[in-house]
Every structure is written in structure tokens, then in C-alpha cells.
Amino acid sequence: MTRRMTRTCAVLATTLLATSATSLSGVATAESQDTVSVRLLAFNDLHGSLRPPEGIRSEIRQADGSLTPAGGAAYLAAYVTQLRSQATNSLLYSVGDNWGSSALESAMFNDEPTVELLNRMKIDASAIGNHELDKGLAEFRRMQSGGCSAVDACTFSPSFGGANFPLMAANMTYTNGTPATLPFTVNMVDGIPLGVIAISPANTSQIVTPGGIADLQFGDEVEAINRTADVLDFFGVKAITVLLHRGDEPAVEGGPNDCNVESGPARDIALRASPKVDVIFTADSHQQYNCEFPDPAGNPRVVMQGASHGRIVSVADVTIDRNTREVVRDQTSAFNQIVTHDISPDPDIQALADRAWSEASESAQRPVGTITADLTRDRVPSGESTLGNLVADAQLAAGSTRGAQLALTNPGGMREDLDFGTSGQVTYRQAYGVQPFGNSLEVLSVTGAVLKDALEQQFQIDLDGTATERILSPSAGFTYAMDRRAAPGSRISEMRLNGQDIVPDGVYSVVVNKFLAEGGDGFTALKNSTQMTGAGNDLDALTALFAAGSPVSPPATDRIRTVG
């Protein structure tokens, strides 16, 4: 037995002893029954949404194509209470990204209100998504264990106690291989142990600012699931759920309980994960689906996801054989429950959300400028977007006092569109929704050759072998040609800055966010800079652009010329 497995087994033995000592009291055990029924509830990608979300994430598409307003923590909590009341036994999970890229009413208080929400909802366990690590491992530990921020103290209440539930990832370790957090937990239900394994994305180190998680590594998802399922099985835990923070994009957009998933990382993992796993809740792609895929032994297994931002509760009702402790697979049923607004909101959670919004609203509703039309992340064939190019222009303006000549920004750094609405007014809350990470801006000195290498890295192969494009939005004055058909390393040509050719041995000042400067999203070439100078942060840059030049019009998307 390896050292890691020995440690894991010790944790499991302790967990089983602790849970069995506390969970059996108060549960009426019906010895004559041959089975135990358990309702498994899960939600995913909450992102600090205490109030009903706005914009494109404010509704859910029904099977008939109609849209239904959904979401909001108070409604989410009310539906969870209702769904739990319909079952004798239930467990509640989150599949990660509870906070990070959060709504302003949570982010303004370092996401402490969201942790308080989850505590009040009494969730049994949560996966660690990539966004829980946006501010680095040290801040994650604070959210996990409590304590006030060393930067701005406790911002929502005089003290902060942290999470009352386990935050887990079986594939998250320190670089020496030591587990960095719990890989699983076990709950006792009517005398039967139910295990739950959590998995973070294997590519977390590529999609989170690298400097904040330099001591961590993230292993293969399937290997971690199978290894941990074997440990649970060894200790007699036969009913196993996985909280998988990976998700798929349905081939055709359908209703909450449709399954149009033909490919993707979550489906691939589900098809290869150990047959010992009975249910898989997924996350990250913000999609809705309710699927049944065969496990490697050919047995049916539920795989589902509940959109995002508290708009759906995923429900899997399982039946466990009391003698074998196994889930009876052909008796499992599952559905995605839309969190509609035709139910009375939970008053306790409503008060929490109202308080957070009340304290944040003065800043949130402050006008920062106006726009003449929608600014969106919708990509034209070159990969540019009006919003992306505007953000790049704002960052160039911010970096120009530090000598910046051009700017590049990543599409993942923009989280919301800017809609014209009825007046074209843009509030601080809307600007924050575009740039919620508070990324610092860095002016890098790079050669023309390094700049080309970085642009060649827009064409990537993900860990699962999928070809992916991550087109960086360029600032005005910087242009180049792109040939997608060319061989890797030869797709970028004709780079020009204000009409002048960029030469390989020339030195140029490029402003990017810290995430990119540290090689995030696979842009490792940008780490080959000879100098780095700070230039404020991305949100301040965007609001400064509005202050300097409103009304702002959508910029042209002609900075990248596609060939062929």
C-alpha cells in the first residue's frame, strides 16, 4: 500500500467512525426493509449569486424552447427545502465554483456572504472548482477555515468562521504528492455509508493565475476517481457519488432534462470512471442536461448538470440494497428542477441576500458611463469581439503611461456582456460583471519573436486531446494575419503596430493582465519578458475608459485578418 493510500485510508477510517457515531442517532432504522432510499441533491457554479442573476443567465430554457426566469439564493434554498421534505433521507452537494467571478454583492465582501449562505443551507460537501482558487491557495484556506483577510479585514461581519462543510478534490495535491485537501467524505444514512468523491479540473493550473497555486498540482480525473473509489469500496462504502467539476456542451440546446451530449470531457470521464461510481454530478460548462451513460461494465449511470448561478437543482433518487450496500442502478431516477420564482423564497436567505445587496448597492448602481449599442463577447470569424477589443483598448490606455504600445486580453477574463438596455447607461455593477477578477495589469517588454510565439499559442490542444482556440483580443493599432490551415507555428504573419512591421528582434511593450503574464491559458511565451511594470487593474482600466470617452461605441472587429 502506498503512503498516499495509507493516509487516505486513515482519513476514511476516522470519517466512518465519526459519522457513524453521530448520524445513527435520531434516524429510525427500519430493520424489516430491504432497501434504503436516498435523494441526492446538487447545484453547481453558483458564483456568489445571492440575488436572481441578470442578463443571459437570468432564465432557463424549457423543453419547448420557452424561457423561464430562474435563480436567486432565496429561491434556491426554498426549493432545496421542498425537495428534501419529499424524501425520508437526503444529501445536498455543490459541484464547485461557489465563489470566484462572483456577483458584486458577494465579491465586495470577499465572498464571505456566499460561504454564510452555504453554511445556512447545510450542504454536506462541495467540490473545489477552479474559481475557488482564483485568489490563490492562501485565500482559499481562509475561506475554508475562517479568519479575517489580512488585506481588508472581515468585510461582511465582525468575524468570519469559514465553511462548515468539507471542500474536496481527490486530484488536488501539493507538488510533492501530498493531498492538499480531503479527497472524499462519507455520510451515514439509516446505517448505510454513502461516499462522495470530488474532482477539480485537471487543467486548473492553466486556467487560474499560476502564481497563486504554485505549490499545487492537479492529477488526471479518471485516475483519481478510480483510485478513491477503490479505497471507499475497500472499507465497505459501496454507494458512491462523484462531484466532477468538468462539463460538456450539448450538441443541441434543449430543456433541463434533455440529453444532447455527444462528446466532451465530462462524458469521456463518465464513460471511463470506475463502475463502483453510481451517480456523477458535473459542472463548469454552465449547461443543463440529464443523461444516462453506461459505465465500463455496461451498467447505466446518471450524469447530469444544472446550468449555473442557482437556476437548477439536480436531483438523483437512488435505492440502496441494505444487505449489499450497493445502489440498485435500474431503480435510480433523476431530474433537473428549475428554480422558478413562483415559490415563496426562504426568508432567512432572503434577509442575507438583501443585507449584502443593501450594503453593496450604492457602489453597484453608480453610473460609470454610457454606450451607443450592445458590447458583447460574440465572436466574429477572426475570433475578435466588440467587448474584447474594447477591453484591450482600455488596458492599452491604462498601460500607456508605463510605455505600453499594445494590449492583449483573454476571452475568459470577460464574464458578462454590456447591454444597451433602454438608455445605454453602464453602472459599476455592469462593468464589474465584465471584469470581476480584479486582475492587475502588467506591462511586459518582449521581442517581436516572443509576441509571435504568444499568438501562435492561441491554437492549443487541451488535456483531453481536443483542439481549442483561445483568440486574444488585440488593441487598436495592432494588426496581424491568421491562417488556421497553416502548420502549427506558422499561422501568424504580417504583424504590424500602427502600420509599421513588427520585427523579430525588436522590443515592444505589451500590457496584459497578470493571469496572462504568468502564462495562464497556455500562453507561456509571455513569461519570456525582460521587464514587468504594474499598470493598475483591469476593472479600473475599463471604468476609466468610460469616464474619459462616453458615450462609447463598439469598436471595429478588423484587427485580425483571416487568410483562406
Side-chain angles (χ1 to χ4, degrees):
M1 185 177 290
T2 66
R3 177 180 296 180
R4 178 188 297 177
M5 184 167 287
T6 300
R7 284 193 294 264
T8 304
C9 291
V11 170
L12 177 57
T14 302
T15 302
L16 284 174
L17 288 172
T19 53
S20 61
T22 58
S23 300
L24 290 179
S25 60
V27 176
T29 304
E31 295 295 343
S32 61
Q33 294 181 347
D34 294 327
T35 60
V36 175
S37 296
V38 184
R39 170 161 282 184
L40 306 176
L41 309 171
F43 58 90
N44 55 276
D45 300 286
L46 183 63
H47 291 289
S49 295
L50 303 181
R51 302 172 72 243
E54 299 177 349
I56 61 172
R57 298 193 181 102
S58 64
E59 298 172 312
I60 284 294
R61 184 175 297 279
Q62 300 272 21
D64 63 2
S66 62
L67 298 175
T68 299
Y75 294 105
L76 174 65
Y79 263 107
V80 166
T81 298
Q82 182 184 90
L83 291 164
R84 283 187 136 169
S85 72
Q86 298 167 356
T88 304
N89 306 298
S90 64
L91 295 168
L92 175 62
Y93 305 126
S94 168
V95 201
D97 280 4
N98 299 295
W99 61 84
S101 184
S102 297
L104 188 62
E105 62 267 20
S106 178
M108 278 192 68
F109 308 105
N110 293 327
D111 287 309
E112 292 166 16
T114 294
V115 176
E116 178 63 23
L117 162 69
L118 300 175
N119 286 342
R120 293 189 190 187
M121 289 181 65
K122 295 181 169 56
I123 70 170
D124 291 285
S126 174
I128 300 169
N130 51 288
H131 282 291
E132 272 93 356
L133 297 165
D134 279 343
K135 294 183 179 180
L137 180 59
E139 177 63 4
F140 168 76
R141 292 295 190 214
R142 188 184 77 85
M143 302 296 283
Q144 185 178 44
S145 304
C148 294
S149 168
V151 177
D152 49 11
C154 286
T155 54
F156 191 63
S157 297
S159 61
F160 175 62
N164 293 339
F165 51 89
L167 286 149
M168 312 182 304
N171 63 331
M172 174 175 149
T173 66
Y174 292 108
T175 51
N176 65 2
T178 303
T181 188
L182 286 174
F184 60 82
T185 192
V186 177
N187 297 102
M188 300 295 289
V189 176
D190 203 2
I192 304 296
L194 279 78
V196 58
I197 301 167
I199 299 292
S200 294
N203 65 337
T204 296
S205 59
Q206 295 177 328
I207 56 179
V208 173
T209 302
I213 57 169
D215 295 332
L216 296 178
Q217 60 186 11
F218 298 84
D220 179 79
E221 295 101 337
V222 174
E223 190 277 331
I225 291 170
N226 294 352
R227 179 186 71 243
T228 312
D230 286 346
V231 172
L232 287 167
D233 180 75
F234 178 82
F235 277 93
V237 181
K238 306 294 183 179
I240 301 175
T241 299
V242 165
L243 310 179
L244 173 64
H245 198 80
R246 294 296 299 272
D248 295 330
E249 300 283 343
V252 178
E253 189 175 9
N257 290 296
D258 290 335
C259 179
N260 298 317
V261 176
E262 298 175 358
S263 62
R267 184 180 186 274
D268 175 67
I269 292 166
L271 292 174
R272 296 188 293 125
S274 170
K276 297 180 175 72
V277 172
D278 301 295
V279 175
I280 301 177
F281 294 112
T282 74
D284 193 44
S285 61
H286 295 195
Q287 300 298 312
Q288 54 186 28
Y289 48 81
N290 180 7
C291 297
E292 191 174 83
F293 297 136
D295 67 20
N299 299 312
R301 178 161 61 195
V302 167
V303 180
M304 58 196 311
Q305 186 175 145
S308 65
H309 296 80
R311 292 176 292 163
I312 282 179
V313 181
S314 296
V315 182
D317 290 315
V318 300
T319 301
I320 302 173
D321 185 291
R322 188 178 293 280
N323 295 316
T324 65
R325 298 182 171 184
E326 299 274 5
V327 169
V328 184
R329 292 278 186 91
D330 60 8
Q331 294 183 27
T332 297
S333 61
F335 62 95
N336 274 326
Q337 173 63 59
I338 301 176
V339 177
T340 61
H341 296 162
D342 55 2
I343 185 176
S344 296
D346 183 292
D348 179 51
I349 301 303
Q350 187 68 64
L352 173 69
D354 287 347
R355 180 190 156 208
W357 175 244
S358 176
E359 295 184 22
S361 60
E362 182 176 351
S363 294
Q365 297 181 58
R366 174 174 58 87
V368 298
T370 56
I371 55 178
T372 63
D374 292 347
L375 288 156
T376 74
R377 295 163 294 165
D378 297 338
R379 301 198 310 166
V380 299
S382 68
E384 297 171 81
S385 69
T386 56
L387 184 61
N389 285 5
L390 180 80
V391 168
D393 291 346
Q395 294 181 1
L396 175 59
S400 62
T401 59
R402 299 289 190 271
Q405 298 167 284
L406 66 111
L408 297 169
T409 194
N410 56 309
M414 298 170 290
R415 309 302 288 190
E416 299 285 354
D417 298 334
L418 286 176
D419 298 324
F420 179 82
T422 58
S423 66
Q425 185 180 85
V426 177
T427 64
Y428 182 79
R429 186 186 191 208
Q430 291 172 296
Y432 169 84
V434 174
Q435 301 267 257
F437 296 112
N439 265 319
S440 60
L441 298 178
E442 309 288 349
V443 179
L444 312 179
S445 293
V446 299
T447 64
V450 167
L451 182 58
K452 181 180 184 298
D453 288 345
L455 296 176
E456 294 285 356
Q457 290 178 331
Q458 294 176 123
F459 308 94
Q460 303 175 5
I461 303 296
D462 285 346
L463 291 176
D464 61 3
T466 303
T468 301
E469 282 188 4
R470 292 186 173 92
I471 303 300
L472 301 175
S473 293
S475 57
F478 176 56
T479 62
Y480 64 90
M482 172 199 300
D483 185 353
R484 291 181 169 94
R485 303 166 307 173
S490 303
R491 292 171 172 146
I492 303 301
S493 61
E494 301 177 25
M495 295 190 302
R496 294 190 176 93
L497 181 60
N498 300 321
Q500 300 297 311
D501 288 343
I502 287 181
V503 296
D505 58 354
V507 177
Y508 304 90
S509 294
V510 184
V511 60
V512 296
N513 60 44
K514 185 178 181 182
F515 173 72
L516 286 175
E518 293 186 355
D521 266 354
F523 290 97
T524 55
L526 291 173
K527 296 166 66 175
N528 297 319
S529 63
T530 57
Q531 185 177 350
M532 182 184 296
T533 304
N537 70 60
D538 52 10
L539 178 57
D540 288 346
L542 183 60
T543 57
L545 180 141
F546 282 117
S550 286
V552 172
S553 298
T557 50
D558 59 357
R559 301 170 186 181
I560 304 172
R561 183 173 66 86
T562 56
V563 178

